[in-house]
Amino acid sequence: MAGSVPLTPASRVRTGPGPNRATTEAPWVKWLLIGVASLVLLWLLILPLVIVLMEALKQGWGVYIAALTEPDAMSALKLTLLVAGITVPLNTIFGVAAAWVITKFQFRGKGLMITLIDLPFSISPVVGGLIFVLVFGSNGWFGPWLAEHDIKIIFALPGIVIATLFITFPFVARELIPLMEDQGTREEEAAVTLGASGWRIFWNVTLPNIKWGLLYGIILCNARAMGEFGAVSVVSGHIRGETNTLPLHVEILYNEYQFSASFAVASLLLILALATLLLKSWLGHKTIPEK
């Protein structure tokens, strides 16, 4: 045909079933990449975890159990669970509310709100903790007023909770926003036409659709809350038995050359992390929409 361009071997693209030469590689390339990835995972992830467990049990089960049950370790564990128990529900409420507003309504400042939600991802946790010291510390903006009314925030539980809230509040919201955007508003609009109230729409329509994504975000938020070090280290004061969380307690034991005890407490965090990872993986399958 006049004006047509003959297809050359380089210009032919396979469109039917079967392997496409443009998207396949030689077997040795595939296995080389798999081997390199496996070595990196082994060196950076698996090996450190094995070392932590070996060092924790190096001096026997007696030393291991004693390190986990001594008063300072138990106090650190209780404080870690308390902080997570406060911050995770608060961030869950905020995350659901923020995701609902951003995905269901159009308003000025929507982009700014999304940017502010992502702010803790772009700021170092240490800087975040320092911000709260400058605001609530004895020489900070509200320091004199707090001292006058005998309210202690920095080097106390409220400061640890505030710093952890700041570090962890994006997780639930950022998990729900894309999920709720993908679902759209059709079901909610249909419920409105049937006369359902806003609260009933949320419980009977929206919440069932986002439950797995919500649980996924809660798991991530809880994992970060229990493992946070930088921001909490700045605002806690490192008071043993009072303001030390588990990560801070590990640091103190290691700096005091109590290596077996520090690795024993670290192994407790490792067990919590592995449990979180299993839940995260399971919930990750639930959040994938069915075709």
Side-chain angles (χ1 to χ4, degrees), residues 96-282:
V96 173
W100 176 280
V101 169
I102 290 172
T103 58
K104 307 301 180 182
F105 301 98
Q106 296 295 329
F107 57 92
R108 290 184 179 180
K110 185 175 181 179
L112 177 61
M113 179 180 287
I114 296 175
T115 301
L116 292 176
I117 289 174
D118 291 336
L119 188 63
F121 288 145
S122 59
I123 294 180
S124 168
V126 174
V127 175
L130 181 60
I131 291 172
F132 294 114
V133 172
L134 296 176
V135 174
F136 300 112
S138 58
N139 296 319
W141 293 353
F142 302 109
W145 185 88
L146 293 171
E148 181 182 348
H149 292 81
D150 195 26
I151 300 175
K152 197 171 183 180
I153 293 181
I154 301 301
F155 306 151
L157 175 63
I160 298 174
V161 171
I162 291 173
T164 307
L165 277 172
F166 174 76
I167 295 300
T168 59
F169 83 82
F171 287 94
V172 175
R174 291 308 302 173
E175 185 62 35
L176 291 181
I177 289 173
L179 177 62
M180 294 175 71
E181 283 181 340
D182 184 62
Q183 292 174 352
T185 60
R186 288 177 298 177
E187 294 187 19
E188 284 83 357
E189 291 171 354
V192 169
T193 60
L194 295 174
S197 63
W199 192 247
R200 186 162 187 175
I201 292 172
F202 173 76
W203 281 107
N204 295 333
V205 178
T206 304
L207 188 59
N209 289 336
I210 65 171
K211 60 181 179 179
W212 296 117
L214 177 61
L215 288 174
Y216 190 83
I218 291 173
I219 292 296
L220 294 178
C221 181
N222 182 70
R224 182 62 186 271
M226 291 192 299
E228 175 54 30
F229 178 85
V232 173
S233 178
V234 174
V235 302
S236 71
H238 294 265
I239 304 174
R240 297 186 73 156
E242 295 184 22
T243 63
N244 270 346
T245 59
L246 281 177
L248 301 184
H249 189 57
V250 171
E251 181 199 28
I252 287 179
L253 291 175
Y254 192 86
N255 289 338
E256 293 178 348
Y257 303 102
Q258 301 183 48
F259 298 124
S260 294
S262 67
F263 279 108
V265 178
S267 71
L268 181 59
L269 283 171
L270 173 61
I271 293 171
L272 294 174
L274 292 176
T276 300
L277 180 63
L278 292 175
L279 282 173
K280 176 178 174 292
S281 300
W282 180 70

